[in-house]
Amino acid sequence: MRKYKKIVGIVGIFATLLSSSVIADESNSESLELANSTSGFAKIKVMANSMGGFKSILALEGVEFNVSGSRFEPEQSYKPAGEFIDVGDYNYKFSTILNTQQSRTEWLRDVRFPFIQQFSYTEVINGNFGAVFGFDTVFAAPQAPMLSTRLGAQVKQNIVSSPLALIHRAKQYSDQVQYLGTVKFNDRLQQVVSIPGWNQDIRIYIDVASKLPSKVETLEDDTVYGDAQWEIVFSHWDEVNGIKVPLELHHKLNGREINIETRSSVNLNASIDASLFLIPAELVSDFNADQFAWGVRSSQWFNRFLPFAIPFDLDQRSAATLQMVELAPKVFHAKAITHHSMIIEMDDYLIVTEAPLYEERSQVVISEIKKRWPNKPIKYLVVTHFHNDHIGGVRAYAALGATIIVGSETKDHYEAVFKAPHTVFPDALQNNPVDVKIKTVEAGHDLVLSDGIRNVRVFDVTNRHAIGTLVPFVEDENLLFVSDLYSPGFFADAIPPLFLGWSVDLLAALETSPLDIQWLVGGHGGISSYDTFVAKVQSSL
Ligand SMILES: [Zn+2]
């Protein structure tokens, strides 16, 4: 009876996964048939034998291959569910010793969004430590310790994307490997086997006819999707050193393609010099278990942002990273390292603009607000645009009962965000579900929030960065908050091409405005006078 319940539970999880991915799920798996055997590890052995031999695979140590690939981002498009952003291409040489958590990845990234730049750097992982040599982002140091968040994300990526590493992992946890049953994937019958992951299991789909793994999937936590299924489909199998390996891998998140990689020059008998994994003492930083857990829980959130060459792995979850700058009476810039909010004090309530990054960032800002204004509720949250780095913290404000103000063309997207289940890592709204109030600003129009003393006008600005972009304006202090269209102080020299287009659109919109805009407050960067903004844009053209 207990066994039956357990299996029904698993079927239930699959049914939930297939029906509840409100934002996107193009998965073509059919529902799971009940398992008729619990010997999951036996199925892994059969799979390994079809790949060239269970024992031979366990005997492997040094593995090397080259990868070329492309990155796509669905949550930075012009409109929700619009055409994906073509983030860029990459090549890397990967070397690892299986089962040791030692790896070396020599990257060459061709970034196309938002910067147009090449990056060449090396990531070394050695046990619980990692380091990056070379400039991996636009703000990087020539070499730096790897934060445990990124270490977790990379360790997971290396294992989950390798059938060989998964067989080693299954052996390590052999008593916990479970057979879940059969399911159809791409019209072919699959046996699904679960092996322990970190906080969620990893499921391998074994093709019943070929006995090769068709795909692997695991559930992650994503700021926008909530519970997000990361899926890697293996294809183009080739035999190398007597063992079959997939040469093409398609990575999807909730059914959306995010990464395609092609592997070549595979060597499964590589003798790798131990010195390749050495991390100099000055680059060894303390292992942070909490950050590591975050990295493995949300590996694709981190691994999707790295290709943008922006250091999203910086930990902005602590109060120590909050800087409150008083911009004018009762107007504060709540700054993090990369993404900021603005707090506007009204007579008997507060308005917050922007809830960027992730839930924990919002909680830092919210606790500071509760300390400073214990008797004023956050009545409104104005969200500048729907891109995932700018809305990851919206659910925290929604859970508090704030009305969320968004561009009307993006309303459906936010409704999906508020409904998305967050069971992998429950957030405030998951724990305290409320009917979320959404107020919209129509394209080309504005909305006035007023307490009878102060007016805050929220404008929709037409631009080529994102549909439904809002810029809130504090009328009595002549302050306009803006994200992405212009980032005050961001670029010492000319504004780079993509960014410049967005600034030109902002300028065009503001030039025709009858309002007396004197200051621009950045969702990134600092603040700038309106005149400096105009001069900067014009000199960059
Ligand atoms: Zn954006």
Side-chain angles (χ1 to χ4, degrees):
M1 191 63 200
R2 229 181 82 221
K3 194 158 119 193
Y4 174 73
K5 263 190 181 164
K6 191 170 172 188
I7 291 166
V8 169
I10 290 160
V11 175
I13 290 166
F14 264 73
T16 310
L17 270 179
L18 293 174
S19 65
S20 69
S21 297
V22 286
I23 298 169
D25 192 341
E26 295 155 11
S27 165
N28 58 356
S29 301
E30 289 170 20
S31 50
L32 194 67
E33 295 285 326
L34 295 188
N36 56 16
S37 157
T38 51
S39 180
F41 190 54
K43 308 244 181 266
I44 293 285
K45 279 185 172 170
V46 171
M47 177 186 93
N49 283 333
S50 78
M51 288 171 60
F54 179 64
K55 284 191 175 148
S56 321
I57 290 172
L58 288 185
L60 293 178
E61 291 181 353
V63 170
E64 268 180 349
F65 51 85
N66 292 336
V67 176
S68 64
S70 302
R71 279 275 176 186
F72 312 98
E73 179 48 58
E75 298 303 325
Q76 294 281 328
S77 51
Y78 171 67
K79 55 182 179 185
E83 204 174 308
F84 295 3
I85 288 293
D86 168 22
V87 183
D89 297 330
Y90 61 84
N91 289 284
Y92 65 75
K93 183 185 177 189
F94 182 70
S95 316
T96 191
I97 311 279
L98 287 172
N99 237 359
T100 63
Q101 208 160 296
Q102 285 181 316
S103 67
R104 179 184 179 89
T105 315
E106 296 171 17
W107 288 93
L108 182 61
R109 275 198 197 277
D110 223 336
V111 179
R112 282 194 287 272
F113 186 95
F115 301 94
I116 302 167
Q117 202 173 324
Q118 277 204 341
F119 294 84
S120 156
Y121 60 94
T122 297
E123 283 174 334
V124 176
I125 290 174
N126 195 339
N128 278 338
F129 304 103
V132 182
F133 302 88
F135 295 93
D136 59 336
T137 71
V138 284
F139 307 112
Q143 55 176 34
M146 188 184 283
L147 291 175
S148 301
T149 325
R150 181 161 166 184
L151 180 84
Q154 303 298 45
V155 163
K156 185 176 180 183
Q157 182 97 15
N158 294 346
I159 292 174
V160 176
S161 65
S162 164
L164 300 175
L166 287 170
I167 290 166
H168 279 249
R169 190 171 178 89
K171 170 76 169 55
Q172 192 185 344
Y173 297 99
S174 57
D175 56 334
Q176 295 171 55
V177 177
Q178 289 182 44
Y179 174 48
L180 304 183
T182 56
V183 66
K184 270 196 172 169
F185 170 64
N186 281 348
D187 287 332
R188 292 171 69 92
L189 197 62
Q190 315 284 324
Q191 292 178 326
V192 183
V193 174
S194 148
I195 67 171
W198 288 264
N199 64 336
Q200 296 285 322
D201 68 342
I202 302 165
R203 293 173 179 190
I204 306 176
Y205 285 53
I206 305 168
D207 187 291
V208 168
S210 72
K211 304 281 188 293
L212 293 175
S214 303
K215 71 163 181 173
V216 59
E217 67 184 24
T218 186
L219 208 55
E220 295 216 328
D221 179 57
D222 179 75
T223 60
V224 170
Y225 299 133
D227 297 350
Q229 196 175 166
W230 174 30
E231 177 188 14
I232 306 173
V233 179
F234 302 116
S235 64
H236 297 71
W237 290 83
D238 195 18
E239 196 170 309
V240 179
N241 307 116
I243 289 167
K244 290 194 182 100
V245 289
L247 296 184
E248 197 168 299
L249 291 83
H250 287 249
H251 299 246
K252 294 179 176 184
L253 198 67
N254 268 14
R256 295 174 156 195
E257 198 141 72
I258 51 171
N259 183 12
I260 300 175
E261 51 172 310
T262 305
R263 297 180 173 179
S264 61
S265 308
V266 180
N267 181 0
L268 303 183
N269 289 323
S271 81
I272 302 170
D273 193 322
S275 67
L276 287 179
F277 304 119
L278 274 185
I279 296 175
E282 70 268 22
L283 293 183
V284 173
S285 62
D286 287 341
F287 175 73
N288 182 319
D290 172 57
Q291 283 183 343
F292 186 86
W294 186 25
V296 291
R297 180 172 73 232
S298 301
S299 76
Q300 296 311 294
W301 196 86
F302 292 103
N303 289 343
R304 279 154 70 205
F305 273 121
L306 266 173
F308 286 79
I310 297 170
F312 278 93
D313 56 332
L314 293 170
D315 193 338
Q316 303 179 64
R317 298 175 301 165
S318 77
T321 60
L322 173 65
Q323 197 195 346
M324 291 282 279
V325 180
E326 190 165 7
L327 301 167
K330 301 184 176 184
V331 186
F332 292 82
H333 207 185
K335 299 178 81 176
I337 306 170
T338 56
H339 290 64
H340 319 317
S341 300
M342 188 166 81
I343 300 163
I344 307 159
E345 189 182 349
M346 306 294 275
D347 196 36
D348 54 2
Y349 62 89
L350 300 164
I351 301 169
V352 176
T353 71
E354 205 79 311
L357 297 168
Y358 24 74
E359 161 95 358
E360 296 90 334
R361 182 68 211 171
S362 290
Q363 298 301 357
V364 165
V365 176
I366 289 168
S367 30
E368 180 67 22
I369 286 174
K370 285 183 173 165
K371 247 188 270 165
R372 288 185 185 230
W373 298 280
N375 301 315
K376 287 195 179 179
I378 302 167
K379 193 169 175 186
Y380 299 107
L381 170 75
V382 181
V383 192
T384 62
H385 65 302
F386 75 93
H387 288 165
N388 57 343
D389 57 319
H390 290 271
I391 67 167
V394 293
R395 288 170 52 101
Y397 291 91
L400 286 181
T403 296
I404 314 297
I405 300 179
V406 305
S408 65
E409 293 120 317
T410 56
K411 188 185 181 203
D412 293 353
H413 186 68
Y414 291 97
E415 280 177 344
V417 168
F418 293 129
K419 280 188 203 135
H422 283 241
T423 62
V424 171
F425 192 67
D427 63 359
L429 194 57
Q430 176 75 28
N431 291 330
N432 175 34
V434 295
D435 274 335
V436 182
K437 293 162 280 182
I438 301 179
K439 219 176 164 81
T440 59
V441 182
E442 297 298 318
H445 288 77
D446 69 344
L447 174 91
V448 183
L449 306 173
S450 180
D451 58 4
I453 305 161
R454 166 171 270 177
N455 287 344
V456 175
R457 288 182 184 271
V458 183
F459 289 89
D460 174 283
V461 171
T462 305
N463 69 88
R464 67 196 97 167
H465 180 66
I467 200 165
T469 295
L470 303 182
V471 288
F473 178 61
V474 186
E475 211 169 60
D476 58 307
E477 295 296 342
N478 316 93
L479 283 166
L480 185 91
F481 183 87
V482 57
S483 279
D484 287 4
L485 303 185
Y486 183 67
S487 301
F490 226 48
F491 302 110
D493 304 319
I495 305 173
L498 261 176
F499 296 84
L500 183 59
W502 308 334
S503 296
V504 165
D505 294 343
L506 176 67
L507 182 57
L510 300 186
E511 266 182 340
T512 56
S513 162
L515 301 169
D516 182 17
I517 300 163
Q518 289 177 16
W519 298 97
L520 266 56
V521 181
H524 306 289
I527 69 165
S528 153
S529 73
Y530 184 77
D531 293 345
T532 304
F533 157 64
V534 175
K536 184 84 186 174
V537 174
Q538 285 172 349
S539 69
S540 302
L541 286 170

